[in-house]
Amino acid sequence: MQGSDLIDLGGQVALVTGAGQNAGRATALELARHNAGGIAVNDYVAERAEAVAAEVRALGVPALAVPFDVTDLEAARAANTAITRELGAATVLVNNAGMAGPTASIRPTQNFWEEDPAHWQRYLGTNLYGVYNCSYALIPNMVEAKRGRIVTIVSDSGRVGEAKMAVYASAKAGAQGFMRSIAKELGRYNVTCNSVSLSALMPDMSEEQLAEVTASDHAKAMLSRYTIRRYGKSSDVAALVSFLCSNAAEWITGQTYPLNGGYAPSA
Ligand SMILES: NC(=O)c1ccc[n+]([C@@H]2O[C@H](COP(=O)([O-])OP(=O)(O)OC[C@H]3O[C@@H](n4cnc5c(N)ncnc54)[C@H](O)[C@@H]3O)[C@@H](O)[C@H]2O)c1
């Protein structure tokens, strides 16, 4: 879309990590709808990346699936080479891959001092080193082009703290500090660097499934802390991230935007 569209990517090529489902998928598709020149779809799970790349192509935008583990710097660099060859140099990076990494699910069950230290790396690897690695691989493209956008998806656990999620929270807090710092290095090249801090998102599901989930006592207690009484949606993330990646956001940098329905943490 061009002309009257506020969210205009100006033909830039974007890499979205962890884009095989939910927030990352929605972001990849939204960027494609707003004049991206091409979308590189990363996910650890190759079939997911391929499926979303096909959805992007169906919108008439070139796409390339780049399945790799963001904790692997050499894989990120190899993906950047492939993206440059197939789509052109990527000057937009959305660091969305997160949670407990590619092969584990987040289970906030233990206090920090009781958990197995062997589990720390899964959080630090994807949520912090993954952000370093993809940024390190793509920033030279942006410096060369004298334009660019980096948006990292973080978590309110890292902004306000969350019991039984301390290592994940600290990885997300570290990613925010990293973004604020590289924003200062990259401003002179017209590259902006921001974070979007989420509270609880619901995975993509039907309205019926969502109604069932939100009817539970646990969900009601949780949602009582949200001014807008619903869980976040992938489309909420896609909208703000796309705006921050657009030309309209060229004077916004070094910030962390809470995207959370007015969430207020408990003590
Ligand atoms: N879901 C929530 O409630 C919530 C809350 C706060 C923040 N966040 C953050 O939002 C982002 C998106 O969350 P979501 O719920 O859509 O995630 P999700 O778990 O539904 O999807 C993440 C995708 O990333 C991929 N992935 C994970 N680790 C990877 C790695 N190392 N390399 C490549 N791909 C990898 C997974 O295969 C998966 O397809 C994450 O950064 C997450 O930490 C989520």
Side-chain angles (χ1 to χ4, degrees), residues 17-24 42-45 48 68-71 95-103 106 125-127 153-157 168 172 196-203 234 237:
T17 69
Q21 62 183 20
N22 296 324
N42 162 260
D43 205 283
Y44 179 80
V45 182
R48 288 184 198 158
F68 65 91
D69 184 339
V70 298
T71 67
N95 289 306
N96 167 79
M99 307 299 276
T103 56
I106 284 192
T126 297
N127 294 286
I153 308 302
V154 297
S155 164
D156 272 2
S157 63
Y168 171 73
K172 290 298 201 187
V196 170
S197 180
L198 308 178
S199 288
L201 285 189
M202 264 296 136
S234 297
V237 181

Side-chain angles (χ1 to χ4, degrees), residues 43-252:
D43 205 283
Y44 179 80
V45 182
E47 306 79 59
R48 288 184 198 158
E50 296 287 357
V52 175
E55 288 188 271
V56 170
R57 282 185 213 106
L59 294 172
V61 174
L64 181 69
V66 282
F68 65 91
D69 184 339
V70 298
T71 67
D72 181 344
L73 174 60
E74 286 317 309
R77 294 173 112 163
N80 185 52
T81 302
I83 296 164
T84 303
R85 187 178 61 238
E86 299 294 326
L87 300 176
T91 51
V92 173
L93 168 63
V94 181
N95 289 306
N96 167 79
M99 307 299 276
T103 56
S105 59
I106 284 192
R107 287 199 192 84
T109 52
Q110 285 180 302
N111 290 312
F112 170 69
W113 70 90
E114 297 164 328
E115 47 178 54
D116 182 349
H119 293 166
W120 297 347
Q121 188 52 35
R122 69 163 69 130
Y123 297 109
L124 294 168
T126 297
N127 294 286
L128 187 56
Y129 275 83
V131 175
Y132 297 161
N133 290 340
C134 294
S135 302
Y136 194 78
L138 266 68
I139 285 171
N141 305 342
M142 304 183 198
V143 168
E144 166 84 20
K146 293 196 169 51
R147 72 191 299 206
R149 298 279 184 269
I150 308 178
V151 178
T152 295
I153 308 302
V154 297
S155 164
D156 272 2
S157 63
R159 212 172 50 83
V160 299
E162 187 152 344
K164 304 185 180 185
M165 301 273 272
V167 177
Y168 171 73
S170 55
K172 290 298 201 187
Q176 292 174 55
F178 171 70
M179 293 300 288
R180 283 192 286 271
S181 301
I182 60 170
K184 292 188 186 298
E185 296 179 2
L186 291 170
R188 74 187 63 178
Y189 302 102
N190 305 310
V191 177
T192 68
C193 307
N194 294 290
S195 300
V196 170
S197 180
L198 308 178
S199 288
L201 285 189
M202 264 296 136
D204 294 340
M205 59 175 71
S206 71
E207 287 298 322
E208 295 73 33
Q209 288 169 314
L210 187 60
E212 198 175 311
V213 172
T214 49
S216 72
D217 288 344
H218 170 75
K220 283 181 183 154
M222 200 169 165
L223 291 177
S224 69
R225 304 213 298 265
Y226 289 72
T227 306
I228 306 292
R229 295 219 173 177
R230 66 164 173 81
Y231 289 104
K233 301 177 190 170
S234 297
S235 57
D236 297 321
V237 181
L240 180 54
V241 173
S242 298
F243 174 72
L244 290 171
C245 291
S246 75
N247 291 339
E250 67 182 12
W251 211 45
I252 300 174

Side-chain angles (χ1 to χ4, degrees), residues 30-47:
E30 197 65 15
L31 293 174
R33 289 187 195 101
H34 292 281
N35 195 28
I39 304 286
V41 181
N42 162 260
D43 205 283
Y44 179 80
V45 182
E47 306 79 59

